[in-house]
Amino acid sequence: MRSIRGWRTGLGAAALAAALLLGVGLVWAQTLKVSQSNQQFYPEPNFASNPVGPAPVGAHVKVLETKGDWYRVEYQGKKAWLHRQAVPESPVFVPGQVGGGPVKQVKSDEVALAGKGFTAEVESGYRQKNPGLNYAQVDQIEAFRVDPGRLQSFIKEGGLNP
Amino acid sequence: MRRIQGATIAALAGLILAWGCAGPEGSGPSLSGLTGLVPLPGAAQPAAAIVTKAGAKAVDASRPITPSEEYYIGRAVCARILAKYPLSQDQALTLYVNEVGRTVARKSNRPDPYRGYHFGVLETSEPNAFACPGGIILVTKGLVRKCADEDELAAVLAHEVAHIVNQDGINSISRARWSEVLTTAGAEAARQYGGVAGNLVTLFESSIDDVFKTIVVNGYSRGAEEAADREAISILTRAGYNPAALASLLGRMGSGGGGIMRTHPPTADRLAKVKSQSAAAQPGKMEEVRTKRFKEQKI
């Protein structure tokens, strides 16, 4: 059976389910492994904030809280936000399964597949089908960082508007 | 196990129905265009319920492309372009182009796409620039060489940012194709909620073809080009660059030939409109400083 596991107690499941239904971020001691390359930790649960550091593939992060597609995690003693796409194998909870008995889990990409047409999973299939495409350099472009302080100096030096 | 699978499939079907109208990244009428979801041509009106390939459920096919989907489409388009043109490994030039690009992108009407803006330089003398949906912008060394100064490079990049703001690449995907994507996504998720749906990969591939043909082969429509010019002039003005730089570059480009002449044709009519839109422009402050640092680049 694929990734379907029961929670250890019905009480815990009910509490988690209630929190989920209320839209409250969950707090549980769970460790996730970063499996996607070129991922970053963020100070806020959005991509608009400047990354605070890279989330290397293979890193184990402790989940402190969830908010939408974001996990607040602890890594090497520091706390930051990590997007779900960094850990696509992580479990998510399926609404409609919380009425009684153990809460069922499915993989996050399975739920994403239901709600979205094109996902990391689809990209993976596309890449397998088209091995000649240069995704390595796409990742290189995305990984290129400009220090915010340096950008501000560049703008100021050129007499541009901050 | 059969019972569990059945229950999970039912739950997924529920999700499909629930998200068919709202989408997981946001909902409500205001979440379209510049601030959130990307509307498709003609997608404003509620779509009629359509029957899935499985023939079991009717889902609303009107969900627009989300920013994350736009991002994956853009990555694929970029990968195809990079299969044709190698990426320059000149770190100094890449940094400079990123600094100019980010300076203008942050003044656009869409300053924070899903994974931000990223700029790359292509190692070819063919003058061209490409706006991959989602925020990756590629400019060739050939086009950078055509620029006389930093303000003209900023004009090129602002124009490409405008194509991303206006979702011109994404709009190449037909409404019919997108309806099929949603139908297939729902059917595949309900039927086999694990692994990659093969039909989706095929549809993804077709969608990439649509966008690639527009931004690399055929070029945008005249209307899309003119709208991007208008947005670029606004961006340049807000950023503090000289908005007349776009007209000065277009004026030197001439017409005919391949590359950017085909994908962004600088016609006389287009040039006249750009000139009139930036007629009152004054050179920005510190233009000499910007020109000096542009000249220092080893292109």
Side-chain angles (χ1 to χ4, degrees):
Chain A
M1 181 160 50
R2 296 173 50 89
S3 303
I4 299 178
R5 297 179 225 131
W7 285 88
R8 292 187 185 279
T9 68
L11 185 62
L16 287 165
L20 179 67
L21 290 172
L22 291 171
V24 177
L26 299 175
V27 179
W28 78 98
Q30 184 183 7
T31 300
L32 299 176
K33 184 178 178 182
V34 176
S35 61
Q36 299 296 303
S37 60
N38 297 314
Q39 303 300 314
Q40 301 285 329
F41 291 114
Y42 290 83
E44 303 291 336
N46 62 68
F47 287 114
S49 58
N50 290 319
V52 295
V57 171
H60 288 84
V61 298
K62 182 180 175 185
V63 177
L64 306 173
E65 182 184 351
T66 64
K67 188 173 183 181
D69 285 344
W70 292 82
Y71 294 109
R72 185 163 176 264
V73 300
E74 184 175 324
Y75 176 63
Q76 295 184 337
K78 296 179 180 174
K79 294 170 183 172
W81 290 89
L82 184 66
H83 192 264
R84 184 167 59 87
Q85 67 187 10
V87 285
E89 298 299 312
S90 57
V92 295
F93 305 92
V94 180
Q97 292 287 311
V98 297
V103 175
K104 311 300 188 298
Q105 298 178 27
V106 297
K107 288 163 62 177
S108 59
D109 53 35
E110 293 163 2
V111 175
L113 190 62
K116 299 178 184 178
F118 298 147
T119 63
E121 273 278 283
V122 174
E123 179 186 289
S124 178
Y126 178 69
R127 290 172 70 161
Q128 287 176 15
K129 199 173 172 184
N130 298 274
L133 296 181
N134 199 340
Y135 267 95
Q137 290 192 334
V138 178
D139 292 339
Q140 184 186 336
I141 292 170
E142 288 195 76
F144 193 92
R145 300 286 166 195
V146 178
D147 177 73
R150 184 186 171 98
L151 183 61
Q152 288 305 318
S153 298
F154 178 87
I155 290 169
K156 187 177 179 183
E157 179 193 69
L160 301 166
N161 297 327
Chain B
M1 181 184 297
R2 186 183 299 272
R3 186 185 302 171
I4 293 172
Q5 284 181 333
T8 307
I9 290 170
L12 284 166
L15 278 177
I16 296 161
L17 290 171
W19 287 352
C21 296
E25 296 192 8
S27 60
S30 65
L31 285 178
S32 63
L34 304 179
T35 57
L37 303 176
V38 182
L40 281 167
Q45 73 279 17
I50 58 173
V51 178
T52 67
K53 280 188 173 180
K57 297 287 181 183
V59 296
D60 184 346
S62 67
R63 178 175 74 74
I65 291 176
T66 65
S68 67
E69 288 169 331
E70 184 184 11
Y71 165 76
Y72 286 113
I73 290 167
R75 277 174 56 83
V77 170
C78 184
R80 279 193 63 170
I81 294 171
L82 289 168
K84 183 177 180 183
Y85 303 107
L87 183 68
S88 169
Q89 297 302 314
D90 184 334
Q91 296 300 296
L93 179 60
T94 300
L95 174 61
Y96 179 67
V97 169
N98 267 275
E99 287 173 333
V100 176
R102 289 167 195 236
T103 298
V104 294
R106 62 207 296 276
K107 295 295 182 181
S108 75
N109 285 323
R110 191 186 181 192
D112 296 309
Y114 180 61
R115 294 296 302 273
Y117 286 96
H118 302 277
F119 299 83
V121 180
L122 299 178
E123 195 69 62
T124 172
S125 58
E126 180 182 311
N128 215 336
F130 308 103
C132 305
I136 297 177
I137 290 172
L138 303 170
V139 60
T140 68
K141 272 193 174 179
L143 185 52
V144 179
R145 288 192 193 108
K146 287 268 185 188
C147 296
D149 52 34
E150 182 176 306
D151 287 43
E152 289 191 2
L153 175 60
V156 168
L157 299 178
H159 179 91
E160 298 306 316
V161 166
H163 281 308
I164 289 174
V165 171
N166 296 338
Q167 293 116 19
D168 291 327
I170 284 294
N171 286 338
S172 307
I173 302 171
S174 73
R175 178 173 167 74
R177 174 103 67 210
W178 185 242
S179 291
E180 193 177 357
V181 169
L182 294 182
T183 304
T184 303
E188 292 290 346
R191 189 165 49 233
Q192 52 168 49
Y193 54 92
V196 176
N199 287 342
L200 266 184
V201 173
T202 302
L203 286 165
F204 184 71
E205 198 165 29
S206 301
S207 300
I208 302 313
D209 286 344
D210 290 343
V211 179
F212 186 83
K213 279 178 191 166
T214 294
I215 73 171
V216 179
V217 181
N218 298 327
Y220 301 102
S221 69
R222 181 180 297 183
E225 282 296 280
E226 291 179 359
D229 286 342
R230 284 194 299 275
E231 172 71 7
I233 287 169
S234 296
I235 291 172
L236 291 168
T237 304
R238 288 196 290 267
Y241 282 110
N242 182 1
L246 180 59
S248 64
L249 176 63
L250 289 175
R252 281 204 316 282
M253 298 285 284
S255 59
I260 200 167
M261 310 302 179
R262 185 177 62 242
T263 57
H264 301 66
T267 61
D269 181 49
R270 179 185 169 199
L271 180 57
K273 286 181 179 172
V274 169
K275 278 183 175 174
S276 71
Q277 288 158 13
S278 54
Q282 297 294 321
K285 295 182 295 183
M286 311 286 282
E287 197 161 352
E288 289 179 5
V289 172
R290 300 196 295 272
T291 299
K292 180 174 179 291
R293 63 188 183 188
F294 177 84
K295 301 284 188 191
E296 287 171 355
Q297 300 301 315
K298 296 178 176 62
I299 306 166

